[in-house]
Amino acid sequence: VRSRGLGDVYKRQEIFVLNKLEGMKYAEIAEMMNLSENTVRNHIALAVKKLQKLLKDHPLLFLFLIS
């Protein structure tokens, strides 16, 4: 999924929060947001990559956020 602007960034953030912090499954998020499961999976993967870059000097915080 290529970023197409600020809307995608906010969507990616919302998807990440729903999955990692609220414990929703990909299928639940996909249905709720009218997306495919693959799109949800891609948004989460991109969010994790971005967090990994931002938190490269704080590996324990990164692991905490993605677990």
Side-chain angles (χ1 to χ4, degrees):
V1 175
R2 257 187 205 178
S3 182
R4 295 185 186 128
L6 205 50
D8 276 353
V9 173
Y10 290 125
K11 184 185 296 184
R12 187 167 303 132
Q13 179 181 7
E14 181 179 6
I15 290 169
F16 181 85
V17 167
L18 290 171
N19 178 252
K20 299 297 183 187
L21 301 180
E22 295 188 22
M24 289 180 70
K25 306 235 182 274
Y26 294 162
E28 295 171 319
I29 297 167
E31 184 177 333
M32 182 180 93
M33 298 184 77
N34 198 29
L35 301 168
S36 72
E37 283 187 54
N38 195 49
T39 298
V40 170
R41 190 175 292 110
N42 287 338
H43 274 294
I44 291 171
L46 289 171
V48 168
K49 282 182 185 180
K50 181 72 172 180
L51 276 173
Q52 191 172 25
K53 283 182 185 178
L54 291 172
L55 298 173
K56 68 181 179 200
D57 296 329
H58 307 283
L60 292 177
L61 181 56
F62 171 72
L63 289 174
F64 172 75
L65 288 173
I66 65 163
S67 62

